[in-house]
Amino acid sequence: MLRVVAIAVFSIILFSESILASDPRVVTVDLTHAHGPDAVAWPANPKYNFTILLRGRRPGGFWYEANSFQTADHSGTHIDAPSHFVEGAYRVHQIPIEKLIGPGVIINVKSKVAANIDYRVTVDDIQDWETKYNQIPDGAVVIMNSGWSQRYPNRTLLFGSEDYMDTTTFHFPSWHEDAVDWLLKNRNIHVIGVDTTSVDYGPSTTYPVHQLLGEYNIPGIENVANLDSIPESGTTIYVAAFKLYDGSGSQSRVFATYTVETRSKMRKNRN
């Protein structure tokens, strides 16, 4: 087992080095909303606060900047640690780093969400993806693309409610617990994500998907951006979570890489 993990980590390092070397064959896409004053969090969470400590020329003539900030650990594009809903599960700093990378699987349900804003991804949606692209690969990062991220950071649109402080009025799409249960039992999944504010849909009151992910020690990612900019298959997705000690969640720089060959194949398939 240790040898397998070592090989996986070594492979990640080699692939990352190719990106840093600006390999012209590799396309990199940022899937993260900028974290700032408009960062969206669940109601009752503290607002983002950014304080400039120093910004200007110092006596030695050099420029110097330093700041402090406060933010909810579940705000903006972020990771949900399994401990978010399950006692004793991984907190953010405990999630193995090799579990934060994997083949990208984008489940596109935009047309279904257009007809039903409370749509939940089904087992059929997953199997439709597999019919088109083959079985979900081991260690996948599986993300719903509902087209919802274009609403960010407008809270009224994002929560599907005129009163975004009242959670009982929320309407937005996400995962059905039966689909997540099927994935966790039948496929080797590293991360499950959404382009909405929660891995449970808006009207939920018991948050079964959060509970399932916690029970299986699987992280979730929320408020993922720019999913239309990457292929539905053939990417590698990285969840570069801030390693917040004891955090139940933390801000994350989520990004995808894929080769120009993959892009060419996807264009041919669309044509």
Side-chain angles (χ1 to χ4, degrees):
M1 175 62 74
L2 289 175
R3 183 181 178 187
V4 172
V5 172
I7 292 171
V9 173
F10 183 66
S11 298
I12 292 169
I13 292 170
L14 288 179
F15 194 71
S16 299
E17 285 178 348
S18 75
I19 297 169
L20 293 174
S22 299
D23 188 333
R25 297 169 298 171
V26 176
V27 179
T28 306
V29 179
D30 194 345
L31 305 178
T32 314
H33 293 291
H35 199 71
D38 292 330
V40 176
W42 208 248
N45 276 279
K47 292 183 178 180
Y48 174 85
N49 183 287
F50 183 89
T51 302
I52 297 173
L53 301 178
L54 289 167
R55 183 174 295 181
R57 295 286 173 189
R58 307 307 296 156
F62 56 87
W63 182 266
Y64 183 79
E65 294 189 10
N67 314 290
S68 69
F69 69 95
Q70 178 185 18
T71 190
D73 59 359
H74 296 274
S75 59
T77 302
H78 68 278
I79 191 170
D80 279 0
S83 67
H84 188 29
F85 271 73
V86 171
E87 184 179 8
Y90 286 142
R91 294 194 172 113
V92 173
H93 74 281
Q94 297 169 318
I95 301 171
I97 193 167
E98 64 269 17
K99 298 292 187 180
L100 298 177
I101 177 177
V105 171
I106 310 302
I107 309 292
N108 188 330
V109 293
K110 290 190 295 182
S111 62
K112 296 175 180 179
V113 169
N116 175 14
I117 63 171
D118 290 326
Y119 187 78
R120 291 183 284 175
V121 178
T122 66
V123 175
D124 285 345
D125 293 323
I126 297 166
Q127 292 177 340
D128 286 346
W129 187 96
E130 292 195 329
T131 297
K132 189 174 182 179
Y133 299 112
N134 297 319
Q135 182 170 306
I136 290 173
D138 284 347
V141 177
V142 186
I143 307 176
M144 173 193 77
N145 180 8
S146 67
W148 214 253
S149 68
Q150 64 186 357
R151 299 173 177 237
Y152 194 95
N154 186 312
R155 287 168 172 78
T156 298
L157 296 178
L158 201 61
F159 289 114
S161 170
E162 291 297 327
D163 184 0
Y164 55 78
M165 295 301 292
D166 182 358
T167 61
T168 66
T169 67
F170 287 0
H171 292 280
F172 56 80
S174 196
W175 286 91
H176 195 288
E177 60 269 26
D178 290 347
V180 171
D181 186 60
W182 186 91
L183 271 176
L184 298 179
K185 288 177 177 176
N186 294 284
R187 300 291 182 265
N188 174 19
I189 304 301
H190 277 180
V191 180
I192 288 178
V194 290
D195 56 351
T196 59
T197 62
S198 173
V199 291
D200 280 288
Y201 82 139
S204 181
T205 58
T206 57
Y207 309 104
V209 173
H210 279 91
Q211 294 185 57
L212 274 169
L213 294 181
E215 288 168 7
Y216 280 81
N217 250 342
I218 300 295
I221 48 174
E222 297 170 339
N223 292 320
V224 181
N226 301 326
L227 291 171
D228 285 338
S229 299
I230 63 172
E232 294 174 3
S233 174
T235 66
T236 299
I237 294 181
Y238 300 77
V239 183
F242 174 48
K243 194 176 181 179
L244 179 64
Y245 182 80
D246 259 5
S248 66
S250 74
Q251 281 64 51
S252 302
R253 190 71 178 265
V254 182
F255 63 97
T257 60
Y258 61 95
T259 64
V260 291
E261 289 83 5
T262 298
R263 180 172 58 185
S264 297
K265 288 179 183 178
M266 296 306 298
R267 285 175 176 171
K268 288 180 181 178
N269 289 341
R270 287 172 184 168
N271 297 331

